[in-house]
Coordinates of all heavy atoms in Angstrom, one line a residue:
N1 N -41.9 20.9 -69.0 CA -43.2 20.8 -68.1 C -43.2 21.8 -67.1 O -44.0 21.8 -66.2 CB -43.3 19.5 -67.6 CG -44.7 19.1 -67.1 OD1 -45.6 19.6 -67.7 ND2 -44.8 18.4 -66.1
Y2 N -42.3 22.8 -67.0 CA -42.3 24.0 -66.1 C -42.1 25.2 -67.0 O -41.2 25.3 -67.9 CB -41.2 23.9 -65.1 CG -41.4 22.9 -64.0 CD1 -41.1 21.6 -64.1 CD2 -41.9 23.3 -62.7 CE1 -41.1 20.6 -63.2 CE2 -42.1 22.3 -61.7 CZ -41.7 21.0 -62.0 OH -41.9 20.1 -61.0
K3 N -42.9 26.2 -66.8 CA -42.7 27.6 -67.5 C -41.3 28.1 -67.3 O -40.7 28.7 -68.2 CB -43.8 28.5 -67.0 CG -45.3 28.2 -67.3 CD -46.1 29.3 -66.9 CE -47.6 29.0 -67.1 NZ -48.5 30.0 -66.6
S4 N -40.8 27.9 -66.1 CA -39.5 28.4 -65.8 C -38.4 27.8 -66.7 O -37.3 28.4 -67.0 CB -39.2 28.3 -64.3 OG -39.1 27.0 -63.9
H5 N -38.6 26.6 -67.1 CA -37.7 25.9 -67.9 C -37.9 26.3 -69.4 O -36.9 26.3 -70.3 CB -37.8 24.4 -67.7 CG -36.6 23.6 -68.4 ND1 -35.3 23.7 -68.0 CD2 -36.7 22.7 -69.4 CE1 -34.5 22.9 -68.7 NE2 -35.3 22.3 -69.7
L6 N -39.1 26.4 -69.7 CA -39.5 26.9 -71.1 C -39.1 28.2 -71.5 O -38.8 28.5 -72.8 CB -41.0 26.7 -71.3 CG -41.6 25.3 -71.4 CD1 -43.2 25.4 -71.2 CD2 -41.2 24.7 -72.8
Q7 N -38.9 29.1 -70.5 CA -38.6 30.4 -70.7 C -39.6 31.1 -71.6 O -40.7 31.2 -71.4 CB -37.1 30.6 -71.2 CG -36.1 30.2 -70.1 CD -34.7 30.4 -70.5 OE1 -34.3 30.0 -71.5 NE2 -34.0 31.1 -69.6
D8 N -39.1 31.5 -72.9 CA -40.0 32.2 -73.7 C -40.8 31.3 -74.8 O -41.5 31.7 -75.6 CB -39.2 33.3 -74.6 CG -38.6 34.3 -73.7 OD1 -39.3 34.7 -72.7 OD2 -37.6 34.9 -73.9
Q9 N -40.5 30.0 -74.6 CA -41.1 29.1 -75.5 C -42.6 28.9 -75.1 O -42.9 28.9 -73.9 CB -40.4 27.7 -75.5 CG -39.0 27.8 -76.0 CD -38.3 26.4 -75.8 OE1 -38.8 25.5 -76.3 NE2 -37.1 26.5 -75.3
P10 N -43.5 28.6 -76.0 CA -45.0 28.4 -75.6 C -45.1 27.1 -74.9 O -44.3 26.1 -75.1 CB -45.7 28.3 -77.0 CG -44.6 27.9 -77.9 CD -43.3 28.5 -77.5
E11 N -46.1 27.0 -74.0 CA -46.4 25.8 -73.3 C -47.0 24.7 -74.2 O -47.6 25.0 -75.2 CB -47.5 26.1 -72.2 CG -47.1 26.9 -71.1 CD -48.1 27.2 -70.1 OE1 -49.1 26.4 -70.1 OE2 -48.0 28.1 -69.3
H12 N -46.7 23.5 -73.9 CA -47.2 22.4 -74.8 C -48.7 22.1 -74.4 O -49.0 22.1 -73.2 CB -46.4 21.2 -74.6 CG -44.9 21.3 -74.9 ND1 -44.5 21.7 -76.0 CD2 -43.8 21.2 -74.1 CE1 -43.2 21.8 -76.1 NE2 -42.7 21.5 -74.8
E13 N -49.5 21.9 -75.4 CA -50.9 21.6 -75.1 C -51.1 20.3 -74.4 O -52.1 20.1 -73.7 CB -51.7 21.6 -76.4 CG -51.8 22.9 -77.0 CD -52.6 22.9 -78.3 OE1 -53.3 21.9 -78.6 OE2 -52.7 24.1 -78.9
H14 N -50.2 19.4 -74.6 CA -50.2 18.1 -73.9 C -48.8 17.7 -73.5 O -47.9 18.3 -73.9 CB -50.8 17.0 -74.8 CG -50.2 16.9 -76.1 ND1 -48.9 16.3 -76.2 CD2 -50.6 17.3 -77.4 CE1 -48.5 16.3 -77.5 NE2 -49.5 17.0 -78.2
P15 N -48.7 16.8 -72.6 CA -47.3 16.4 -72.1 C -46.5 16.0 -73.3 O -47.0 15.1 -74.1 CB -47.6 15.2 -71.1 CG -49.0 15.5 -70.6 CD -49.8 16.1 -71.7
E16 N -45.3 16.4 -73.4 CA -44.3 16.0 -74.4 C -43.4 15.0 -73.8 O -42.5 15.3 -73.0 CB -43.5 17.2 -75.0 CG -44.4 18.2 -75.8 CD -44.8 17.6 -77.2 OE1 -44.2 16.6 -77.5 OE2 -45.7 18.1 -77.8
L17 N -43.6 13.8 -74.2 CA -42.9 12.6 -73.6 C -41.9 12.0 -74.5 O -42.1 11.9 -75.7 CB -43.8 11.6 -73.1 CG -44.9 12.1 -72.0 CD1 -46.0 11.0 -71.8 CD2 -44.3 12.5 -70.8
F18 N -40.8 11.5 -73.9 CA -39.7 10.7 -74.6 C -39.4 9.5 -73.8 O -39.6 9.4 -72.6 CB -38.6 11.6 -75.0 CG -37.9 12.2 -73.8 CD1 -36.8 11.5 -73.2 CD2 -38.2 13.4 -73.3 CE1 -36.1 12.0 -72.1 CE2 -37.5 14.0 -72.3 CZ -36.5 13.3 -71.7
L19 N -38.8 8.6 -74.4 CA -38.3 7.4 -73.7 C -36.8 7.5 -73.3 O -36.0 7.9 -74.0 CB -38.5 6.1 -74.6 CG -40.0 5.6 -74.8 CD1 -40.0 4.8 -76.1 CD2 -40.6 5.1 -73.6
K20 N -36.6 7.0 -72.1 CA -35.3 6.7 -71.6 C -35.1 5.2 -71.4 O -36.0 4.5 -71.0 CB -35.1 7.3 -70.2 CG -34.9 8.9 -70.3 CD -34.9 9.5 -68.9 CE -33.6 9.2 -68.1 NZ -32.4 10.1 -68.6
P21 N -34.0 4.6 -71.8 CA -33.8 3.2 -71.6 C -33.6 2.7 -70.2 O -33.1 3.5 -69.4 CB -32.5 2.8 -72.4 CG -31.7 4.1 -72.4 CD -32.7 5.2 -72.4
V22 N -34.1 1.6 -69.8 CA -34.0 1.1 -68.4 C -32.6 1.1 -68.0 O -32.2 1.2 -66.9 CB -34.8 -0.2 -68.3 CG1 -34.6 -0.8 -67.0 CG2 -36.3 0.0 -68.5
S23 N -31.7 0.7 -68.9 CA -30.3 0.6 -68.7 C -29.6 1.8 -68.2 O -28.5 1.7 -67.6 CB -29.6 0.0 -69.9 OG -29.8 1.0 -71.0
C24 N -30.2 3.0 -68.3 CA -29.6 4.2 -67.8 C -29.8 4.4 -66.3 O -29.2 5.2 -65.6 CB -30.1 5.5 -68.5 SG -31.8 6.0 -68.0
L25 N -30.6 3.6 -65.6 CA -31.0 3.8 -64.2 C -29.8 3.4 -63.3 O -29.1 2.4 -63.5 CB -32.2 2.9 -63.8 CG -33.5 3.4 -64.4 CD1 -34.6 2.3 -64.0 CD2 -33.9 4.7 -63.9
I26 N -29.6 4.3 -62.3 CA -28.6 4.0 -61.2 C -29.3 4.4 -59.9 O -30.1 5.3 -59.9 CB -27.3 4.7 -61.4 CG1 -27.4 6.2 -61.5 CG2 -26.5 4.1 -62.6 CD1 -26.2 7.0 -61.5
P27 N -28.9 3.7 -58.8 CA -29.5 4.1 -57.5 C -28.7 5.2 -56.8 O -27.7 5.7 -57.3 CB -29.3 2.8 -56.7 CG -28.0 2.2 -57.3 CD -28.0 2.6 -58.7
D28 N -29.3 5.6 -55.7 CA -28.7 6.5 -54.8 C -27.3 6.1 -54.5 O -27.0 4.9 -54.2 CB -29.5 6.6 -53.5 CG -28.9 7.6 -52.5 OD1 -28.8 8.8 -52.7 OD2 -28.5 7.1 -51.4
G29 N -26.4 7.1 -54.5 CA -25.0 6.8 -54.3 C -24.1 6.3 -55.4 O -22.9 6.4 -55.3
A30 N -24.7 5.8 -56.5 CA -23.9 5.3 -57.6 C -23.4 6.5 -58.4 O -23.9 7.6 -58.4 CB -24.7 4.5 -58.5
R31 N -22.3 6.3 -59.2 CA -21.6 7.3 -59.9 C -22.3 7.6 -61.2 O -22.6 6.8 -62.0 CB -20.2 7.0 -60.2 CG -19.3 6.8 -58.8 CD -17.9 6.4 -59.1 NE -17.9 5.2 -59.9 CZ -16.7 4.8 -60.4 NH1 -15.6 5.3 -60.3 NH2 -16.7 3.6 -61.0
V32 N -22.5 9.0 -61.5 CA -22.9 9.5 -62.8 C -21.6 9.6 -63.6 O -20.6 10.3 -63.2 CB -23.6 10.8 -62.8 CG1 -23.8 11.3 -64.2 CG2 -24.9 10.6 -62.2
V33 N -21.4 8.9 -64.7 CA -20.2 8.9 -65.6 C -20.5 9.8 -66.8 O -21.3 9.6 -67.6 CB -19.8 7.5 -66.1 CG1 -18.5 7.6 -66.9 CG2 -19.7 6.6 -64.9
L34 N -19.6 10.9 -66.8 CA -19.7 11.8 -68.0 C -19.0 11.2 -69.2 O -17.8 11.0 -69.1 CB -19.1 13.1 -67.6 CG -19.6 13.8 -66.3 CD1 -19.0 15.2 -66.2 CD2 -21.2 14.0 -66.5

């Protein structure tokens, strides 16, 4: 959704959306586990 991230790829004519599960959410200060 930013040209700078797309680089040389064409812009999408409409928003390209995907789903993330609610279970992935963590608050400020919580650890991201790799």
Side-chain angles (χ1 to χ4, degrees):
N1 200 34
Y2 287 82
K3 292 180 182 179
S4 59
H5 189 66
L6 284 167
Q7 295 185 305
D8 295 329
Q9 301 176 45
E11 294 180 17
H12 303 301
E13 293 184 4
H14 55 73
E16 290 289 347
L17 301 172
F18 58 92
L19 288 165
K20 289 172 71 75
V22 172
S23 55
C24 78
L25 289 175
I26 58 172
D28 177 65
R31 296 180 301 173
V32 172
V33 180
L34 304 183

